Amino acid sequence: MDINCIVLAGGKGLRLGRDKVLETVGNRSLLQRIVSQLSLLNSDILIVTAAKQSLPQFIGNQRLRIVSDTYPGKGPLGGIYTGLAASDSFYNLVVACDMPFLNQSLLHYIIQLSTNFDLVVPRVGNLVEPLHAVYSKGCLAPIEYLLEQGNIRVSELLKLVKVRYVEAEEIDRID
């Protein structure tokens, strides 16, 4: 399946008090770890950043592009929109920049489920993880609608698109 990867790296770092993208685990930054993991999928990778955010360590990587938020200050929903709009693929794996231990088997599983859905998202009980999910370009218009309404909650998108939830039982078999 033709799929790109989108890494949301444009957060303000409010909870941590600094830019979490540059935080290190071992000897590599969180973002370097994620890019390394996603590279195993042999897909193009888009990193969505805030305006004026510099990531010189990734310049020159042929399969990686850095794009700035189209909707600055609109949180993850704005970043998802930016990545989807910039992507060449209909389906896109979206992850947050602070997930350094991605499980390849789980990523492959949710990617394989994405056919015929706008969004494939893990769910444990009533909690969903929309920043570890596959989005189709079919989400662009609903996201744009929400953003234009001033609604930046990703949870509202779930009501507007065809969703496949990956339940806890499925996740537990893999991860």
Side-chain angles (χ1 to χ4, degrees):
M1 170 183 279
D2 181 35
I3 190 160
N4 281 346
C5 299
I6 298 169
V7 181
L8 302 181
K12 297 177 184 174
L14 296 176
R15 290 177 296 182
L16 189 60
R18 59 189 176 277
D19 191 354
K20 63 185 168 192
V21 170
L22 303 176
E23 285 299 308
T24 58
V25 174
N27 61 351
R28 295 189 303 174
S29 73
L30 291 175
L31 190 54
Q32 287 170 321
R33 286 181 168 280
I34 289 166
V35 168
S36 176
Q37 286 290 314
L38 295 177
S39 294
L40 298 174
L41 296 173
N42 203 27
S43 300
D44 288 345
I45 301 170
L46 293 109
I47 300 176
V48 180
T49 66
K52 299 179 184 173
Q53 189 175 8
S54 176
L55 300 172
Q57 69 269 35
F58 295 107
I59 294 173
N61 184 329
Q62 300 294 335
R63 305 239 26 200
L64 192 141
R65 282 191 295 149
I66 299 170
V67 294
S68 292
D69 257 334
T70 304
Y71 287 95
K74 298 298 182 185
L77 193 61
I80 294 166
Y81 178 88
T82 299
L84 288 175
S87 175
D88 297 329
S89 292
F90 185 73
Y91 290 103
N92 295 270
L93 173 66
V94 174
V95 298
C97 68
D98 58 356
M99 297 179 163
F101 305 109
L102 296 171
N103 180 302
Q104 290 293 312
S105 297
L106 184 57
L107 296 178
H108 283 284
Y109 183 71
I110 65 173
I111 289 167
Q112 290 175 342
L113 292 175
S114 60
T115 305
N116 300 321
F117 293 98
D118 295 314
L119 174 56
V120 178
V121 60
R123 176 171 64 182
V124 177
N126 291 327
L127 302 174
V128 296
E129 183 45 79
L131 304 185
H132 186 284
V134 176
Y135 291 76
S136 79
K137 285 209 180 234
C139 293
L140 276 169
I143 292 172
E144 188 172 36
Y145 168 79
L146 290 170
L147 292 170
E148 288 175 357
Q149 301 300 311
N151 190 337
I152 62 170
R153 297 179 55 89
V154 179
S155 60
E156 292 299 312
L157 177 64
L158 302 173
K159 301 172 187 174
L160 302 176
V161 297
K162 187 175 179 183
V163 180
R164 165 56 159 95
Y165 293 100
V166 181
E167 303 295 350
E169 300 79 34
E170 294 171 273
I171 297 167
D172 287 344
R173 285 194 311 261
I174 298 166
D175 189 1

